Amino acid sequence: MINILYKLSNVSATTGIIRKFSVSAAKNANYSCKLLVVGGGSGGCTMAAKFARKLKKDSVIVLEPSSDHYYQPLFTLVGAGVTPVATTRRDARSVLPLAAKWIQDSAESIDPEKNVVKTASGDSINYEYLVVAVGVVNDYGKVPGLTEALKDKNSGVSTIYSPDYCEKTWNDFKNFKGGEAVFTYPDTPIKCPGAPQKIAYLADSYFSQTNVRSKSNITYNTCLPVIFGVKKYADALMKIAERKKIKVNYKTVLKEVKADKKEAVFFNTEDKSQEITLPYNLLHVTPPMRTPEFLQRSTQLVDALGFLTVDKFTLQHTKYPNIYGIGDCTNTPNSKTAAAIAKQSYVVEQNLRQAMRAAGPRSAYDGYGACPLVTSYRTCVLAEFVYDGVPRETFPFDQVNSRCKLLVVGAGTGGCSVAWRFSKKLNDKDIIEHYYQPMFSLVAAGIKTFPQSHKPLRTVLPHNVIWLRDHAKSFDSCANVVHTTSGLQVKYDHMVVAMGLKNDYDQVLGLKNALNDPLAPVSTVYSPKYCQKCWCCIQDFKGGHAIFTFPKQAGKCSGAAQKIMYLAHDFWKQSINNSTNITYNTAGTALFGVPKYAEALTKIANTKNIIVNYQLDLIEVSKNGAVFLDCNGKTITLPYKFLHVTPAMSPPSCLSECEHLADENGYLDVDSETLQHKRYPNVFGLGDCTNTPNSKTAAAVAKQSRVLEVNLWDTMYGKKPSAKYDGYGACTVLTSYKTGILAEFLYDKKPYETFPFDQSKERRFISYLNTEIFPYMYWNKLIKGKWNGPSTLRKLLNPFGR
């Protein structure tokens, strides 16, 4: 450090402080300020920034010896290999406010009677107000053998509590081949008390990934009688530790490290003469911690352990009213976490400003602290609490076991629509939670581009809906709980299941490989992953046999299988003339489920010279041909130059395997009119995953979502469902690039058309609806819960129900 001589004159004086300096020697500088902040960590930087904006230039001095500023909560992730230590560091000058003077030195002593701090270099800093934010330091010397073991690269001993050693933790993880992995927690107050557990959980995850977990034992040794200081989170963490088979030893403190023998010696807090020696192959130590030496020597300022004695609410020193404390160095009985700094700094700011105005404190610190307890590389429990271990959580769901008034499982067309509808009714963010799939056929035919078919899910969900980016793993409807794949338990009062269907590619041997092979002329419009490939295959087709299939186990949007066929025919007719043979093989007995439209489509297929084979189900795809099974159990192999497959579809396994929610076919078992579950009245379903005998189309969701909205609202208020779903569904089948038919129908397969003309006849207007109007209605009306179907429009246009 270079000491600079200052001689200031005409400087605004502060009460009790004369801001003139007489320096007798270059090594004995004398500074003066209105506010001195000792410590440039999280708390120090925050307080300096707050007051440097409010006071005159050079009124704030920060005393901090280190030129490095670390974001220490990231050290755990450094130790787990997620990020290098370099990402946790910033230059101290870059985080300190420019309007504050930085003296790069450390405190040697504080004289609270004279309002003077002496530095290690012999300088004096006169202050009017003092904020002490020096944190705590690692006391390696308290554990014999620890310092030497940490410096030894091959000792297997490390800690995430220092930038010097946290990367060593990651190296020890990678070098661990099995055996004993021991983690410790000391008998002193420490910063970030959740970190010792976090690194143990991450070790469990990493060892599981590298296949050494089965050959290892993980032991967590803590001085505490519980695994965590707040009972709610302690209960949750004990279940996690038990699930991960981590042994927890309570009331044990690391006494000595014998690196040469690979042994860690512990003592029992109730009987220190009782020693426990544990062998280790990996030892992670959370070192004992203490306040810096100068604070320890300032006996008039600190308690018996060397922590600054402040009022736990005002953070003002109990003896010297112009001194405040913030962060880990104080004796406040809160958890020492970075999250506590945010609340503490606000309280100190308010109270210190009051003191500068000669007024009393106006703000109180409630002990708020938070600790994100990472339990694997993908999961976390967020602990938030105030004094006395009382949980004080931010989010409107239980952060250990989430709870909400309405849980929507699935964020497709139906899920989004319901979320929007109830976000307007439940304005307190009490709902937990995207491709326009009908457009995939248009992408596959080159009419629309792939980006036009999708938007980020967050942009289509209402702002006051909480999106849990996770998968449902299982349902416990008796307890009103959904278990997620990341281990979260989401409790609900009411639930809407709108999970859609999944493509069962594996039901056709060789299909998945053919779809993934960029050279194979096999595609499908039923997936965002393959619809672009379909357009490539259509363009690359130079003639020959083109096969389109439809399965026995049909799913969503059955008309799309024919739609892409007619569009391909139209494209090929213009590009390769008559050198094409098109075959449509369906496992069904008709081209369409509604006789009126089946008859019309059969005529269209005949006009286009498309051969239709019934009761043929695709069972295998190879380079030699497509293998079908007929109604007599015989196989037929057909060669192809182009193959479009409509895969079999089924509900997600988490639903189909849930016997109390699903029917014998795996679909959500709901009343076909009310959409209420037959067994659980607080569960409703809509869309493709339900067992309602309607066509699985986006158009059906419009009517269903309105019925569900009314009936779920009734149920929430103890009434019986009053709305009924009539099975309405609609399907637009484009028969060329310019024409199409519009099928609309109810449960009894009776046509239920909107327009005052025969919709089974090919019309240009239908094509325009499909390519322009319906996409607009989808993005702006349907998924936002603003479209209930065309009932009102039908009454106006077609009052006599032609």
Side-chain angles (χ1 to χ4, degrees):
M1 170 185 163
I2 299 175
N3 290 304
I4 303 174
L5 297 179
Y6 285 88
K7 186 173 182 180
L8 304 180
S9 61
N10 299 320
V11 180
S12 298
T14 57
T15 304
I17 301 293
I18 299 176
R19 308 190 77 188
K20 294 182 180 179
F21 307 97
S22 177
V23 182
S24 59
K27 294 184 179 180
N28 188 22
N30 196 3
Y31 304 92
S32 181
C33 61
K34 189 171 184 72
L35 174 63
L36 171 61
V37 179
V38 182
S42 303
C45 281
T46 303
M47 294 313 305
K50 286 178 178 292
F51 281 91
R53 294 193 297 264
K54 303 176 186 300
L55 302 178
K56 296 178 181 179
K57 187 178 180 182
D58 293 332
S59 293
V60 178
I61 290 179
V62 179
L63 182 63
E64 166 57 44
S66 177
S67 61
D68 297 322
H69 184 101
Y70 289 95
Y71 178 51
Q72 298 186 33
L74 275 184
F75 286 175
T76 306
L77 301 184
V78 174
V82 177
T83 187
V85 72
T87 63
T88 71
R89 180 197 170 278
R90 294 289 186 275
D91 185 79
R93 181 68 272 179
S94 69
V95 297
L96 287 168
L98 293 176
K101 179 173 181 57
W102 172 28
I103 298 178
Q104 193 173 353
D105 201 350
S106 56
E108 181 67 20
S109 65
I110 299 177
D111 186 344
E113 301 292 342
K114 296 182 179 179
N115 292 346
V116 174
V117 170
K118 293 286 188 181
T119 74
S121 299
D123 300 335
S124 297
I125 308 175
N126 300 281
Y127 63 84
E128 185 174 352
Y129 296 96
L130 174 68
V131 171
V132 182
V134 292
V136 292
V137 296
N138 295 335
D139 193 5
Y140 301 121
K142 192 175 179 181
V143 180
L146 177 57
T147 302
E148 295 78 9
L150 288 171
K151 292 180 178 179
D152 182 354
K153 293 182 179 180
N154 300 314
S155 66
V157 180
S158 65
T159 182
I160 58 170
Y161 279 91
S162 167
D164 298 326
Y165 304 118
C166 54
E167 286 188 322
K168 188 179 186 230
T169 301
W170 173 231
N171 289 328
D172 289 348
F173 275 22
K174 293 186 290 184
N175 294 330
F176 184 75
K177 305 303 178 185
E180 302 295 327
V182 180
F183 296 80
T184 76
Y185 188 102
D187 59 346
T188 64
I190 65 170
K191 53 192 172 187
C192 195
Q197 283 184 69
K198 289 195 282 188
I199 196 64
Y201 297 138
L202 289 167
D204 167 82
S205 293
Y206 182 74
F207 298 158
S208 297
Q209 294 173 18
T210 54
N211 298 318
V212 299
R213 184 64 181 92
S214 60
K215 299 180 289 185
S216 60
N217 297 313
I218 298 179
T219 306
Y220 179 68
N221 298 276
T222 174
C223 73
L224 302 173
V226 291
I227 198 170
F228 196 77
V230 180
K231 185 179 185 305
K232 173 180 180 177
Y233 305 113
D235 292 343
L237 292 169
M238 270 310 303
K239 292 178 181 179
I240 292 169
E242 290 170 358
R243 187 177 75 243
K244 292 176 176 291
K245 297 181 179 178
I246 296 175
K247 182 181 179 182
V248 181
N249 293 326
Y250 298 107
K251 302 180 182 180
T252 55
V253 178
L254 183 64
K255 178 181 180 181
E256 183 180 0
V257 176
K258 298 180 179 179
D260 56 334
K261 296 181 180 180
K262 295 279 185 175
E263 291 180 346
V265 182
F266 295 83
F267 67 80
N268 187 284
T269 57
E270 295 181 342
D271 182 3
K272 292 188 177 182
S273 64
Q274 182 183 342
E275 291 189 353
I276 306 167
T277 300
L278 297 179
Y280 68 82
N281 299 93
L282 181 150
L283 174 63
H284 178 272
V285 178
T286 301
M289 299 180 195
R290 58 172 174 77
T291 54
E293 288 288 348
F294 85 90
L295 202 55
Q296 297 269 331
R297 294 192 297 266
S298 303
T299 55
Q300 72 274 47
L301 293 176
V302 299
D303 63 10
L305 296 176
F307 288 84
L308 190 73
T309 53
V310 298
D311 182 274
K312 71 176 186 177
F313 298 113
T314 66
L315 303 179
Q316 188 176 41
H317 195 271
T318 53
K319 184 177 180 181
Y320 300 98
N322 65 332
I323 297 177
Y324 291 79
I326 188 172
D328 304 342
C329 67
T330 68
N331 68 340
T332 53
N334 63 293
S335 181
K336 311 294 186 184
T337 67
I341 297 294
K343 185 65 179 288
Q344 287 183 344
S345 62
Y346 173 78
V347 171
V348 171
E349 177 191 16
Q350 297 300 313
N351 292 341
L352 185 49
R353 288 177 65 186
Q354 287 290 98
M356 290 178 177
R357 300 185 187 115
R362 61 179 294 179
S363 186
Y365 174 53
D366 58 5
Y368 175 80
C371 186
L373 293 153
V374 177
T375 55
S376 74
Y377 281 85
R378 296 181 58 191
T379 59
C380 179
V381 169
L382 178 56
E384 291 183 287
F385 39 86
V386 293
Y387 283 139
D388 300 321
V390 178
R392 179 71 58 80
E393 298 181 339
T394 299
F395 297 105
F397 55 83
D398 186 328
Q399 290 163 194
V400 173
N401 299 296
S402 300
R403 186 177 188 91
C404 57
K405 190 170 184 66
L406 173 59
L407 171 64
V408 180
V409 183
T413 308
C416 283
S417 180
V418 170
W420 274 97
R421 289 172 186 272
F422 280 87
S423 71
K424 303 167 188 175
K425 297 174 180 289
L426 306 172
N427 292 320
D428 54 354
K429 297 191 178 182
D430 224 4
I431 304 177
I432 297 184
E433 273 268 345
H434 165 107
Y435 288 105
Y436 176 38
Q437 297 186 35
M439 195 177 282
F440 290 169
S441 298
L442 305 183
V443 173
I447 298 173
K448 297 287 186 179
T449 62
F450 183 65
Q452 291 176 290
S453 70
H454 62 94
K455 293 183 180 181
L457 180 56
R458 183 69 269 177
T459 66
V460 299
L461 285 172
H463 71 278
N464 61 332
V465 162
I466 295 171
W467 173 22
L468 290 184
R469 198 168 183 175
D470 204 347
H471 295 277
K473 183 179 181 181
S474 62
F475 297 87
D476 184 354
S477 298
C478 293
N480 291 345
V481 172
V482 173
H483 299 270
T484 73
T485 54
S486 66
L488 195 66
Q489 296 182 36
V490 186
K491 297 180 180 179
Y492 59 85
D493 294 333
H494 299 84
M495 178 172 67
V496 172
V497 181
M499 304 178 71
L501 300 175
K502 61 182 177 69
N503 294 336
D504 285 338
Y505 300 113
D506 292 337
Q507 288 197 27
V508 178
L509 189 65
L511 175 57
K512 195 67 179 288
N513 290 335
L515 288 171
N516 290 329
D517 183 354
L519 301 179
V522 181
S523 61
T524 182
V525 299
Y526 283 90
S527 167
K529 187 175 180 181
Y530 303 118
C531 61
Q532 293 179 95
K533 184 188 179 187
C534 186
W535 175 228
C536 293
C537 291
I538 288 175
Q539 294 176 94
D540 291 341
F541 182 71
K542 304 304 179 185
H545 192 198
I547 301 176
F548 295 80
T549 76
F550 192 79
K552 181 183 297 183
Q553 193 174 337
K556 53 193 173 187
C557 196
S558 58
Q562 290 183 64
K563 186 189 301 186
I564 188 61
M565 177 176 67
Y566 298 133
L567 290 170
H569 171 273
D570 199 25
F571 181 83
W572 292 332
K573 182 178 67 174
Q574 300 174 36
S575 60
I576 54 178
N577 299 320
N578 297 320
S579 59
T580 300
N581 296 316
I582 298 178
T583 300
Y584 184 74
N585 291 339
T586 173
T589 57
L591 264 182
F592 201 81
V594 180
K596 173 180 179 177
Y597 304 112
E599 181 181 349
L601 290 169
T602 300
K603 292 179 180 178
I604 292 169
N606 291 336
T607 302
K608 297 178 182 291
N609 293 320
I610 295 173
I611 299 172
V612 180
N613 295 318
Y614 299 102
Q615 295 183 298
L616 285 183
D617 195 19
L618 181 68
I619 60 173
E620 183 179 353
V621 174
S622 70
K623 293 181 180 179
N624 298 323
V627 182
F628 295 85
L629 187 69
D630 69 10
C631 58
N632 297 315
K634 296 181 179 180
T635 58
I636 301 171
T637 302
L638 298 177
Y640 63 86
K641 293 293 183 180
F642 173 96
L643 176 63
H644 177 273
V645 177
T646 302
M649 300 176 201
S650 65
S653 56
C654 63
L655 175 59
S656 59
E657 293 171 1
C658 183
E659 295 181 356
H660 58 279
L661 279 182
D663 64 9
E664 63 275 9
N665 296 315
Y667 289 80
L668 189 72
D669 194 14
V670 298
D671 183 276
S672 61
E673 292 186 337
T674 65
L675 305 179
Q676 186 178 42
H677 194 270
K678 293 179 179 178
R679 183 175 176 184
Y680 300 98
N682 65 332
V683 176
F684 286 77
L686 82 163
D688 303 343
C689 68
T690 68
N691 63 351
T692 54
N694 62 290
S695 180
K696 310 295 185 183
T697 66
V701 170
K703 185 66 177 289
Q704 288 183 344
S705 60
R706 174 57 182 166
V707 170
L708 186 148
E709 177 188 14
V710 173
N711 290 342
L712 178 52
W713 194 248
D714 286 342
T715 302
M716 287 179 172
Y717 285 88
K719 301 177 182 178
K720 291 184 177 181
S722 58
K724 292 184 178 181
Y725 173 54
D726 56 10
Y728 173 80
C731 183
T732 307
V733 182
L734 293 183
T735 54
S736 72
Y737 278 82
K738 295 181 179 180
T739 60
I741 70 169
L742 176 58
E744 292 183 285
F745 41 87
L746 306 178
Y747 272 142
D748 57 5
K749 297 184 180 182
K750 179 182 177 181
Y752 194 53
E753 299 182 341
T754 299
F755 298 101
F757 52 75
D758 186 351
Q759 295 176 188
S760 68
K761 293 184 178 181
E762 295 178 273
R763 300 177 189 273
R764 287 177 177 264
F765 174 64
I766 303 301
S767 176
Y768 177 75
L769 284 176
N770 191 74
T771 58
E772 303 299 331
I773 301 301
F774 290 164
Y776 172 83
M777 293 291 292
Y778 182 85
W779 292 119
N780 296 283
K781 300 295 182 180
L782 176 53
I783 63 171
K784 293 188 176 182
K786 299 177 181 179
W787 178 244
N788 300 329
S791 299
T792 302
L793 184 64
R794 183 182 298 111
K795 292 177 181 178
L796 293 173
L797 298 178
N798 194 8
F800 301 108
R802 173 182 171 80

